[in-house]
Amino acid sequence: MTGWQEALERQARVRAKAGLTRTLRPRAAGDTVVDLAGNDYLGLAVHPEVVGAAVEALRAYGLGATGSRLVRGSTMPHADLESDLAQWLGFPRALVYSSGFLANLGAVRALAEPGTLLVSDRYNHASLIDGCRGSGAEVVVAPHADPSALATILAARPGRPAVFVTESVFSVDGDLAPLAALHEVTSAYGALMLVDDAHALGLLGDRGAGGVAAAGLAGAPDVVVTATLSKSLGGAGGVVAGPEPLIRHLVDTGRTFIYDTAPPPAVVAGVHAALRIARDADDRRAILRERAALTVRRLRAAGFEVSAPAAGVLSVLAPGPEAALAWAADCRDRDIAVGCFRPPSTPDGSSRLRLTLNAGISAADFDRALDVIVECAP
């Protein structure tokens, strides 16, 4: 074994000792596991209309997009989806990427002009953090969901161009940022606000238009929205929505857009079908709200520390990384899939089970899953 491989092995042993080893677990089609780990909040990934739209586009266009969006990768399904996403989110234009991660990298870097200050919420997703780090701009990490702290940071740098970067519903604990109050601060100081709406799209706001819409900020000229298409819409891809000049700038200069192969037309068509269903899925959103409330009641009654969910994701505190791993593994052995979040995926260094609720699971299976989580606790 060469020197660089030995160095990697040493690092692996350190991670294993700390309980931070990660494992890939391929799943078979049609498995019977009750899924509280994936992000298919509305249960649309296997919806017949969604699958049918994808199959139809697969037959029409073939397996892949065959190129980047600016070469041969843009198809009518891409254009149609972007038009409906812009309308749904309430912004002039939307641009589809092959992942939410790339959409966040592209949006942050596009807004970070020379001299820009980036203010990033402490609990932001890794994609936003990486976008800030790779932008070359000065980055200040702000206390979590704190408008007064944001005002203090911006007031200390008067007249400087600034962008505040946040999630709407945060991806680990599932809490909701006070977007309206934060926007009052950014507006007062002439700053922009970039909101990752990944865990709110399809779940919050009128017709599921997201957390930004729910806060009354849809279409605001100083707000930019990003989201993944892999959660409530059950597919894959990402989107940036905002004013026309921003989208034009991303098409002309955005490296994560220009140099990346376009998402496959079949996936895009399936996502578009899911969007059409999601807009009218108030019944599914009601199921999620009921299940979120039930989960909090049941687990808190059993003595666990549980976050208060704003949408479909919540967390249950574990004693440590090894205990979280064992807890998740015991649940999996009983056919219940739960998320296991450990450092560095958790912003505060605590280990958790992360539960992502799914309206497509039967009531009986959901109740059984909660029983198993309680019974398998370390």
Side-chain angles (χ1 to χ4, degrees):
M1 185 178 291
T2 61
W4 68 272
Q5 291 174 329
E6 291 174 352
L8 295 181
E9 287 292 337
R10 286 194 297 272
Q11 294 174 36
R13 288 193 292 271
V14 171
R15 293 194 299 272
K17 187 175 181 180
L20 299 179
T21 298
R22 285 160 168 78
T23 304
L24 295 172
R25 295 185 178 87
R27 60 182 174 89
D31 70 4
T32 58
V33 171
V34 179
D35 187 5
L36 296 184
N39 297 307
D40 186 20
Y41 293 122
L42 297 178
L44 298 181
V46 295
H47 192 287
E49 293 180 27
V50 173
V51 175
V55 169
E56 183 178 345
L58 181 65
R59 291 195 178 105
Y61 287 96
L63 181 60
T66 75
S68 68
R69 291 290 307 277
L70 289 171
V71 181
R72 287 281 290 171
S74 288
T75 65
M76 289 308 302
H78 291 84
D80 292 343
L81 175 60
E82 286 170 341
S83 177
D84 261 11
L85 279 168
Q87 184 179 35
W88 193 29
L89 294 168
F91 284 85
R93 283 195 62 188
L95 190 65
V96 165
Y97 287 69
S98 62
S99 75
F101 205 109
L102 291 179
N104 275 342
L105 292 182
V108 173
R109 292 175 183 177
L111 296 174
E113 299 293 330
T116 298
L117 173 71
L118 292 176
V119 184
S120 177
D121 187 285
R122 180 170 173 250
Y123 282 15
N124 274 344
H125 186 267
S127 57
L128 295 173
I129 294 170
D130 286 358
C132 290
R133 288 174 176 171
S135 69
E138 180 187 357
V139 180
V140 174
V141 177
H144 177 55
D146 188 337
S148 62
L150 174 61
T152 299
I153 292 169
L154 294 177
R157 297 159 175 83
R160 185 170 177 185
V163 181
F164 174 58
V165 181
T166 184
E167 297 180 58
S168 53
V169 172
F170 285 86
S171 58
V172 175
D173 286 336
D175 57 315
L176 179 65
L179 294 179
L182 291 165
H183 183 252
E184 287 183 9
V185 174
T186 56
S187 295
Y189 288 94
L192 300 178
M193 187 161 79
L194 170 64
V195 182
D196 180 351
D197 227 1
H199 290 275
L201 183 65
L203 305 182
L204 302 183
D206 183 43
R207 303 189 76 188
V212 170
L217 301 177
D222 55 354
V223 174
V224 174
V225 174
T226 65
T228 179
L229 308 177
S230 64
K231 295 183 175 27
S232 65
L233 297 182
V239 62
V240 178
E244 160 69 29
L246 170 65
I247 303 304
R248 185 169 61 245
H249 182 72
L250 289 169
V251 171
D252 286 344
T253 70
R255 295 175 69 85
T256 62
F257 178 80
I258 295 171
Y259 298 106
D260 186 48
T261 298
V267 173
V268 171
V271 166
H272 197 180
L275 184 158
R276 291 190 291 267
I277 298 168
R279 284 186 301 206
D280 296 319
D282 286 345
D283 56 340
R284 293 173 183 252
R285 284 184 278 275
I287 290 172
L288 275 184
R289 288 192 297 271
E290 292 168 1
R291 289 183 173 179
L294 173 62
T295 302
V296 170
R297 287 197 307 271
R298 291 271 297 274
L299 296 185
R300 286 182 178 171
F304 302 117
E305 185 175 335
V306 184
S307 64
V313 58
L314 57 90
S315 68
V316 188
L317 197 66
E322 292 181 349
L325 271 177
W327 195 355
D330 289 346
C331 289
R332 187 170 58 251
D333 289 343
R334 295 179 61 178
D335 289 334
I336 306 298
V338 297
C340 178
F341 275 44
R342 298 159 288 154
S345 298
T346 55
D348 60 359
S350 298
S351 296
R352 301 160 166 81
L353 293 191
R354 191 185 75 158
L355 310 183
T356 47
L357 310 182
N358 186 326
I361 296 171
S362 72
D365 281 345
F366 186 74
D367 285 341
R368 180 170 65 86
L370 295 183
D371 289 339
V372 169
I373 291 167
V374 172
E375 292 164 6
C376 291

